[in-house]
Amino acid sequence: MHQPIAMATNMKTWNLYTLVFLFNLFLSSSHAAFSPNNTCDNTPYPAFCRTTLPSQYLPIHDQCHFFLQQSLSITKTIFKMVSSYLKDNYTIPGSTVHALEDCLNLTELNIDYLFNVLHAIGKIVTSDQVYDLQTLLSAILTNQQTCLDGFNEVTPYPRVTSALSSPLSDSIKLYSISLALFTRGWVSDATTGRLTTVEIITNRQLLQTSVDNVVVTQRVVVNPDGSGDFTTINDAVHAAPNNTGISNGYHVIYVVAGIYNEYVSIPKSKQNLMLVGDGINRTVLTGGHSVDDGWTTFQSATFAVVGKGFVAVNITFRNTAGSSKHQAVAVRNGADMSTFYKCSFEGYQDTLYVHSLRQFYKNCDIYGTVDFIFGNAAAVFQDCNMYPRLPMQNQFNAITAQGRMDPNQNTGISIQNCCMKAARDLGDATSNYNGIKTYLGRPWKKYSRTVYMQSLIDGLIDPKGWTEWSGDFALSTLYYAEFANWGPGSNVANRVTWQGYHLIDEKDANDFTVNKFIQGDRWLPKTGVPFKAGLH
């Protein structure tokens, strides 16, 4: 029987490393500062912050370093606990095993991210590095919340859930405090210009219109008839080189036209991978996992990617579970600096899971019903088509369900120069879209953030624009905004009057562009994918 772990931060179980660390901090801190630091008051968990922090007199950078160390410690403990359950899983229901597997994978990512942040935190010299680390800290919170969400989807198994509840809850608080302190201590310096910004010289208009002009280290072919290098996508991914970094050119996997019944997962070790097909509805990757069939939402994905720098071009990703099976993901994307170009995503509820980190979608088609673009990445959609389709009886459509859970996360969904039109099965204005209400989005988490700008919004969108998740949940803390949209559904006269809803001007809209929101000027040019960096 596993017992809930005792927090190392409860002032009773300090380890030797922590004591040495604190002693060194005490020696290095200015003895002239005798007033306590009130930074805990500016975190989402001020009481937990104050009782955990050994001294209120530490400078904010040292406070952040301390909480990051505590975060790493508890994350390692959670990883060991989850691993032990999975080794003894013959007594655990299968659905709970799926949730544990999700948690193990996400916790392993968090350990890597925390190591990276701790390694870099004392060497930050540019604002670009600050935004990279803020992105990782935001993803750590998202990963842990996904772990918790997975357990909420399955039948409770007390031996597991009761033991994990305390460390999972404490880890969320530690991650949130770390992010808040980092935001106050470093991000504020970056945004006010007190850190150096590296100038990136790039064409801010549309770049080349193909992906031919990219650096390629190797190119392999997938063809089921045996005439290529591989007969399955999974075999080609498995054979791709590991840990190549993202500055050494792409490993290109060309997938010839055909229907591929595979569940493909690209792990963190496969970096700078480019998957190129023969076109939408010609190269098709398809599967049918769903929550109704015992998978978690996280595991239901037909295609999942974590490897940094991933690019997909000319491919259809499909989940065929149908509207009756509820959550059924076509693509789950947790890859930083990832790009999908001229791709199609087909499903019903939860089609495209923009899970975490920075993402860009260009000239893509997304089909779905309930919350069909959801997650907590910093994701920009440019020149894409969103096609709400016919849902189950008594359901409505919501294009987005953004999952920002913390006010300091640099995440959200930005939809620019896109088109919101009804899929063929939903009908048209003459049929009143079969009586189905369709909304721009609803708040999955407390600080949900979504912006529509310079886009065509057709008449299928309900005049109120947005809809509630549950009662008044998140209506004052979310951030939903519209800017310079057009079309029959863009009339804002009858929009919701929530505190968190905004009609924004060009200055505010600029914060959600490729350049500002996902720092795309730094990494999109090498993909060969065309993009517009700003509003014009």
Side-chain angles (χ1 to χ4, degrees):
M1 175 71 72
H2 291 273
Q3 299 297 326
I5 64 167
M7 278 293 298
T9 53
N10 65 3
M11 298 300 291
K12 296 179 181 178
T13 58
W14 299 106
N15 58 37
L16 179 61
Y17 177 86
T18 304
L19 290 172
V20 172
F21 169 73
L22 293 174
F23 181 69
N24 288 335
L25 285 181
F26 174 76
L27 291 179
S28 63
S29 298
S30 170
H31 290 84
F34 291 105
S35 60
N37 196 322
N38 65 352
T39 49
C40 280
D41 294 336
N42 298 304
T43 70
Y45 302 97
F48 185 88
C49 177
R50 283 191 293 269
T51 57
T52 301
L53 196 65
S55 171
Q56 303 294 317
Y57 295 87
L58 295 174
I60 189 169
H61 292 76
D62 292 336
Q63 289 185 16
C64 183
H65 195 277
F66 170 78
F67 276 103
L68 286 170
Q69 289 287 359
Q70 298 305 309
S71 295
L72 180 58
S73 176
I74 198 170
T75 307
K76 288 179 177 179
T77 299
I78 293 170
F79 183 84
K80 291 177 182 176
M81 292 178 69
V82 174
S83 297
S84 68
Y85 283 126
L86 285 172
K87 289 176 183 176
D88 186 31
N89 66 12
Y90 59 90
T91 62
I92 300 175
S95 60
T96 302
V97 170
H98 290 321
L100 285 167
E101 290 169 344
D102 294 350
C103 204
L104 187 74
N105 292 332
L106 293 163
T107 303
E108 184 178 21
L109 283 175
N110 280 353
I111 291 173
D112 285 348
Y113 294 166
L114 284 164
F115 268 123
N116 290 339
V117 173
L118 280 165
H119 177 73
I121 201 168
K123 304 176 182 178
I124 296 175
V125 293
T126 71
S127 59
D128 287 340
Q129 290 170 315
V130 168
Y131 296 134
D132 289 346
L133 297 182
Q134 186 187 22
T135 296
L136 288 179
L137 291 170
S138 295
I140 289 167
L141 259 176
T142 300
N143 288 345
Q144 203 71 337
Q145 184 61 51
T146 303
C147 172
L148 286 167
D149 289 344
F151 287 118
N152 291 332
E153 288 181 344
V154 302
T155 302
Y157 188 64
R159 186 166 73 87
V160 172
T161 54
S162 62
L164 285 171
S165 62
S166 178
L168 288 175
S169 174
D170 286 341
S171 65
I172 290 284
K173 294 173 184 176
L174 288 170
Y175 301 156
S176 180
I177 293 167
S178 298
L179 175 59
L181 295 174
F182 183 84
T183 300
R184 187 175 174 88
W186 280 275
V187 176
S188 59
D189 286 348
T191 54
T192 55
R194 289 195 291 271
L195 290 173
T196 303
T197 298
V198 176
E199 286 294 327
I200 304 295
I201 301 174
T202 184
N203 183 354
R204 289 174 178 263
Q205 304 302 315
L206 293 182
L207 303 180
Q208 58 267 26
T209 57
S210 72
V211 293
D212 295 330
N213 301 318
V214 297
V215 178
V216 175
T217 56
Q218 187 177 6
R219 181 179 182 272
V220 298
V221 177
V222 176
N223 195 330
D225 70 7
S227 63
D229 301 288
F230 303 95
T231 58
T232 70
I233 301 172
N234 272 308
D235 287 344
V237 170
H238 180 73
N242 292 321
N243 303 314
T244 57
I246 62 166
S247 303
N248 302 314
Y250 288 98
H251 179 88
V252 176
I253 300 175
Y254 167 57
V255 186
V256 303
I259 306 294
Y260 294 82
N261 291 286
E262 300 185 53
Y263 293 94
V264 177
S265 181
I266 298 180
K268 63 181 180 181
S269 61
K270 307 294 183 179
Q271 301 167 351
N272 245 32
L273 207 62
M274 182 178 285
L275 201 65
V276 180
D278 275 328
I280 289 175
N281 291 328
R282 297 196 67 223
T283 298
V284 180
L285 181 59
T286 183
H289 287 169
S290 70
V291 169
D292 267 20
D293 289 331
W295 303 93
T296 61
T297 300
F298 192 79
Q299 282 196 16
S300 71
T302 301
F303 180 85
V305 57
V306 178
K308 189 175 182 179
F310 174 78
V311 179
V313 184
N314 292 337
I315 298 175
T316 289
F317 301 92
R318 183 178 293 160
N319 190 307
T320 60
S323 59
S324 64
K325 292 297 184 76
H326 298 98
Q327 298 97 321
V329 175
V331 167
R332 186 188 81 237
N333 184 4
D336 196 22
M337 303 182 186
S338 54
T339 307
F340 285 79
Y341 179 46
K342 293 185 177 179
C343 289
S344 178
F345 308 86
E346 299 178 8
Y348 288 85
Q349 183 171 345
D350 290 3
T351 302
L352 176 56
Y353 195 171
V354 290
H355 182 257
S356 59
L357 302 166
R358 291 166 289 193
Q359 309 177 9
F360 181 63
Y361 298 82
K362 179 76 172 183
N363 294 125
C364 291
D365 299 332
I366 307 103
Y367 297 81
T369 56
V370 180
D371 309 333
F372 67 91
I373 303 172
F374 75 110
N376 195 24
V380 175
F381 293 81
Q382 203 170 83
D383 300 306
C384 293
N385 300 304
M386 286 72 174
Y387 292 115
R389 60 199 307 185
L390 188 66
M392 292 173 60
Q393 190 174 0
N394 299 321
Q395 281 188 332
F396 58 83
N397 289 331
I399 296 174
T400 65
Q402 205 282 327
R404 185 167 171 253
M405 55 176 287
D406 188 284
N408 293 301
Q409 287 181 303
N410 59 353
T411 54
I413 293 173
S414 173
I415 296 174
Q416 181 187 17
N417 293 325
C418 292
C419 181
M420 268 51 66
K421 293 182 74 72
R424 184 174 302 174
D425 63 347
L426 185 59
D428 54 25
T430 61
S431 66
N432 192 31
Y433 304 101
N434 280 295
I436 301 299
K437 288 185 176 293
T438 298
Y439 302 96
L440 298 173
R442 61 178 185 150
W444 183 27
K445 302 294 183 185
K446 185 176 181 180
Y447 294 94
S448 183
R449 181 161 65 175
T450 301
V451 176
Y452 284 80
M453 52 194 189
Q454 301 172 314
S455 294
L456 167 61
I457 301 177
D458 209 352
L460 77 162
I461 299 300
D462 189 88
K464 66 182 285 191
W466 310 78
T467 192
E468 299 81 359
W469 184 270
S470 177
D472 62 357
F473 169 74
L475 302 188
S476 62
T477 50
L478 59 77
Y479 184 93
Y480 287 166
E482 297 181 54
F483 168 74
N485 298 307
W486 57 286
S490 67
N491 190 325
V492 297
N494 295 307
R495 285 296 196 255
V496 295
T497 57
W498 307 335
Q499 184 178 338
Y501 172 72
H502 308 274
L503 295 174
I504 56 176
D505 58 18
E506 184 169 322
K507 178 178 179 296
D508 290 333
N510 190 58
D511 289 336
F512 298 95
T513 59
V514 164
N515 181 28
K516 296 277 286 185
F517 196 50
I518 57 172
Q519 298 82 51
D521 277 4
R522 292 170 45 200
W523 52 275
L524 279 171
K526 71 175 184 178
T527 68
V529 173
F531 70 97
K532 185 161 66 174
L535 293 172
H536 306 291

